[in-house]
Amino acid sequence: DTAVSQTPKYLVTQMGNDKSIKCEQNLGHDTMYWYKQDSKKFLKIMFSYNNKELIINETVPNRFSPKSPDKAHLNLHINSLELGDSAVYFCASTRGDIPDHDYEQYFGPGTRLTVT
Amino acid sequence: AQTVTQSQPEMSVQEAETVTLSCTYDTSESDYYLFWYKQPPSRQMILVIRQEAYKQQNATENRFSVNFQKAAKSFSLKISDSQLGDAAMYFCAYSDTSGSRLTFGEGTQLTVNP
């Protein structure tokens, strides 16, 4: 069974379009994340949600809006896509309750977004 | 802010040999977590090994082990008996104890030569 899934895995679109990437985890985790991996393979956090509440917003343009309908889902909506948004976007989740020290982040397969 | 540095953009090793990937980090915290992730061409992020800063003993997972030097803020990964399947990009990562985010290094591309 897939622990963290993302759809789609590949997304090709034109500048100015609006697109969404969906993420679902079936691990019962409380915290979910979006990371961006740029063309140089550098990974950086974008957002973090805990139980549907935003806890990290890492200076990401307002065109990016995460939405968490429930704690198993964290979707990423991007408005007015730009060439520089081309990257691989990873969703991840973690349990979140520290006393168990189950702090490992489980990653989805990534979504390769190409803006033309 | 925490930073993670991997000074080796590329490394290569002969099959069955041992290779060590370097990682240094900067933090003012006394307790934190450190990780090595592997990213093969499939781009899936795979956790290789993890270390809690409060533990003095170096973590080991089969052929993978770390040399954790807390005072030096160094966290290197040793891969023994390298296999062709070990070829991948390796990322060192740091997390505080809230587990709120991972801060990644730039990555080291490992090539395994047959």
Side-chain angles (χ1 to χ4, degrees), chain B residues 10-114:
Chain B
E10 298 177 343
M11 291 282 285
S12 63
V13 63
Q14 290 296 124
E15 198 174 2
E17 297 294 310
T18 295
V19 64
T20 298
L21 308 184
S22 300
C23 173
T24 58
Y25 58 94
D26 188 27
T27 183
S28 58
E29 303 293 327
S30 59
D31 199 13
Y32 45 86
Y33 310 127
L34 297 165
F35 307 84
W36 278 98
Y37 278 88
K38 169 185 176 182
Q39 187 179 39
S42 67
R43 78 168 180 253
Q44 179 70 51
M45 294 292 288
I46 302 165
L47 179 66
V48 174
I49 198 165
R50 61 187 177 190
Q51 175 83 42
E52 295 92 337
Y54 67 86
K55 290 185 178 179
Q56 293 186 341
Q57 187 173 7
N58 289 326
T60 299
E61 289 286 344
N62 300 313
R63 298 182 296 107
F64 298 86
S65 62
V66 298
N67 184 3
F68 173 48
Q69 300 290 326
K70 190 173 184 179
K73 296 181 182 175
S74 170
F75 183 61
S76 61
L77 174 70
K78 185 171 84 171
I79 307 174
S80 304
D81 186 25
S82 297
Q83 301 176 359
L84 295 177
D86 295 334
M89 180 74 88
Y90 285 82
F91 292 97
C92 180
Y94 168 101
S95 170
D96 61 26
T97 52
S98 71
S100 62
R101 73 180 77 189
L102 285 171
T103 300
F104 287 92
E106 305 91 334
T108 297
Q109 182 68 51
L110 178 66
T111 301
V112 180
N113 299 311

